Amino acid sequence: MFSLFGAVPALAAADAEIDVLWAVRVARGAAVDVSYGLSCPAGYNATVTVTLNQVRNDGLRASGTVTEDVTCTGAPFLEMARVTAKITGAPFQPRKATLAILATGCDDQDCFAVPVNQEIQVQNL
């Protein structure tokens, strides 16, 4: 499978990182499973928003967003976000798409924000 790694340093004092692994089309393009690794400080509660946008071969646009809450453990862990295509849009195709991930989290004293913006190849399973 094609994979892109997009580690981005944290924007605040807390150390956090995202590594994008792959994106696989499911349900005939009605959704895409995006796999990524997240590393963030133990004790932080984080929100991760994953957005996927694609211009299809026929010029139609496919897009979707999902938001998930995670609890940071201090050790890297794998996550998978299922991004569902908007009902008013087209299904995703196996081709390049623009991926945006934003992870934000806080504890009682500090916060972090980690953005990832990159192109990714959406694969068929």
Side-chain angles (χ1 to χ4, degrees), residues 3-122:
S3 64
L4 295 173
F5 294 94
V8 177
L11 297 178
D15 191 27
E17 186 177 295
I18 297 173
D19 292 318
V20 177
L21 302 174
W22 46 259
V24 174
R25 196 172 86 111
V26 295
R28 290 188 256 167
V32 173
D33 287 343
V34 177
S35 180
Y36 62 93
L38 176 62
S39 176
C40 50
Y44 283 62
N45 292 313
T47 300
V48 181
T49 302
V50 180
T51 302
L52 197 62
N53 290 294
Q54 183 183 68
V55 177
R56 297 164 28 109
N57 287 337
D58 56 11
L60 296 176
R61 294 192 181 270
S63 65
T65 299
V66 65
T67 300
E68 302 175 331
D69 292 324
V70 298
T71 300
C72 300
T73 63
F77 58 96
L78 294 176
E79 283 289 314
M80 188 193 65
R82 179 160 285 178
V83 180
T84 304
K86 289 182 182 173
I87 223 70
T88 57
F92 291 102
Q93 289 183 328
R95 61 178 290 125
K96 288 185 180 177
T98 302
L99 174 67
I101 301 177
L102 177 62
T104 58
C106 294
D107 68 359
D108 294 338
Q109 300 174 346
D110 201 8
C111 294
F112 68 84
V114 182
V116 172
N117 293 290
Q118 66 183 54
E119 237 182 35
I120 192 166
Q121 181 69 34
V122 175

